[in-house]
Amino acid sequence: MAMTSSRPYLMRALYEWIVDNDCTPHILVDAHLEGVLVPQSFVNKDGQIILNINPTAVQDLVIGDDAIRFNARFGGVPTDLFIPCYAVLGIYARENGQGMAFEPETPPPAPPTPEDDTPTGVEKKRPSLKVVK
């Protein structure tokens, strides 16, 4: 039986544990994966970015089942960030490095587009409306 990724559950638990111990939670993100929205000027040469997700550093933090979303300031400019869970490489406390690193995870396949649903060799018909009197 296939199970969903445990990564978001572990991230939520570790985030809470780090904050409860009066430490600063940071996440390490692979910023070059598809779907990651972070300020690229802050990404290092390895394509990674470390983000402080302490409650005092971010607004509207949501660690969901599919992604982490929040607003943070970069160079004084408020910025909305979106990090798919598969792009998070680790979560740890800045003060002591305690936390967890994650194995690379492949992004889920993109949902099929309507064009993908059409069998090969079948012509698509354009929808039309008829006036009925």
Side-chain angles (χ1 to χ4, degrees), residues 4 8 23 29 35 38-39 42 46 61 75-76 82 97-98 107-108 118 124 126 128:
T4 60
C23 291
V29 176
V38 297
F42 291 88
D46 296 326
L61 175 68
F82 181 86
Q98 290 197 26
T118 305
K124 282 182 157 185
R126 203 175 150 160
S128 61

Side-chain angles (χ1 to χ4, degrees), residues 9-10 12-13 39 64 72 78-79 81 86 97-98 119 123 128:
Y9 300 93
L10 294 169
R12 286 190 289 265
T79 307
L81 285 83
Y86 58 78
Q98 290 197 26
E123 187 178 321
S128 61

Side-chain angles (χ1 to χ4, degrees), residues 6-65:
S6 61
R7 189 173 300 207
Y9 300 93
L10 294 169
M11 287 189 305
R12 286 190 289 265
L14 287 164
Y15 173 83
E16 186 176 330
W17 173 68
I18 292 167
V19 171
D20 286 352
N21 282 281
D22 295 321
C23 291
T24 308
H26 280 66
I27 56 173
L28 175 63
V29 176
D30 184 343
H32 289 152
L33 289 177
E34 187 173 339
V36 176
L37 296 175
V38 297
Q40 292 297 310
S41 60
F42 291 88
V43 173
N44 68 19
K45 63 180 171 50
D46 296 326
Q48 299 175 344
I49 186 170
I50 296 172
L51 299 167
N52 175 354
I53 58 170
N54 196 49
T56 60
V58 300
Q59 292 183 345
D60 304 323
L61 175 68
V62 175
I63 304 175
D65 289 342

